[in-house]
Amino acid sequence: FCLCAARSAITINCISNIPKATNIRSMRLINYKAEHLDELLAGDMDNLARKSFGVAGDFAQSLDVPGMAFTAVENGHLIASSGVQPLWKGVGEGWFVASSKMPQKKLTIIRMIKDNFDNMIQDNSLVRVQAGVRSDWPTAKRFAEFLGFEHEGIMRKYGPDGQDYYRMARIK
């Protein structure tokens, strides 16, 4: 999947605090780069993910915010990228894109992402992080809820394919 991950790898220390994670030694978090999203979008992914993130490549560069975006890598392969795009002081838009390899390492990645996401919110003094989640994708909604997001409403015809999305937010 990714040659650029091997070149730009910077391990984030919060990984060592995660209990019960399997295969954690081969999994690490690195700083996100726009090429990561390009490679994730070019690879295999769930059909609903493809519909949700089909236009994400248009703004991949703007998601490269130091300290607010990261990529999970295993053995040089991109697994997922996630972060928060700042909107204004204390508020950001959360995002997450995973490859087809995500289901194979789901528990490990979810624990890593949750820990790093929590630290990112605290370190950047965010009081609100919001996210759009496809209304027909219950797995994505459960994932957002696991990260501490709560359902706030429905955004009608919000997605790139005209699909309704839930507006979810995590308030500190």
Side-chain angles (χ1 to χ4, degrees):
F1 247 98
C2 179
L3 298 174
C4 64
R7 288 194 312 259
S8 62
I10 300 171
T11 302
I12 298 172
N13 293 332
C14 68
I15 296 170
S16 62
N17 305 349
I18 303 168
K20 301 179 187 173
T22 58
N23 298 325
I24 198 74
R25 289 186 183 151
S26 64
M27 184 77 64
R28 61 195 173 125
L29 296 179
I30 62 172
N31 291 330
Y32 166 82
K33 299 290 179 210
E35 307 88 68
H36 299 169
L37 186 57
D38 293 339
E39 290 182 36
L40 286 169
L41 293 173
D44 292 333
M45 53 179 18
D46 178 274
N47 188 39
L48 290 175
R50 175 79 51 211
K51 288 179 180 180
S52 296
F53 304 114
V55 297
D58 296 344
F59 54 89
Q61 191 68 41
S62 70
L63 300 175
D64 189 354
V65 180
M68 297 188 74
F70 55 93
T71 297
V73 178
E74 182 180 46
N75 298 324
H77 297 283
L78 295 182
I79 305 299
S81 288
S82 183
V84 176
Q85 175 67 33
L87 297 176
W88 47 84
K89 184 178 177 164
V91 178
E93 184 80 19
W95 60 273
F96 177 80
V97 179
S99 74
S100 61
K101 296 178 189 298
M102 173 71 173
Q104 299 165 4
K105 301 291 182 184
K106 191 182 299 185
L107 184 58
T108 301
I109 293 169
I110 288 172
R111 286 182 178 150
M112 289 173 66
I113 289 169
K114 180 161 181 12
D115 264 12
N116 202 55
F117 203 77
D118 291 347
N119 292 338
M120 186 173 38
I121 288 171
Q122 182 174 337
D123 293 348
N124 292 285
S125 303
L126 297 173
V127 295
R128 175 186 174 87
V129 177
Q130 61 189 33
V133 178
R134 283 184 71 93
S135 62
D136 63 344
W137 197 2
T139 303
K141 185 173 187 261
R142 282 193 308 275
F143 179 67
E145 290 168 341
F146 175 78
L147 293 176
F149 286 78
E150 296 179 6
H151 181 266
E152 289 188 330
I154 297 178
M155 301 184 295
R156 303 277 181 221
K157 300 199 179 291
Y158 177 80
D161 62 348
Q163 177 63 37
D164 293 347
Y165 274 61
Y166 295 124
R167 169 56 76 203
M168 300 187 73
R170 179 174 166 170
I171 310 296
K172 184 176 176 185

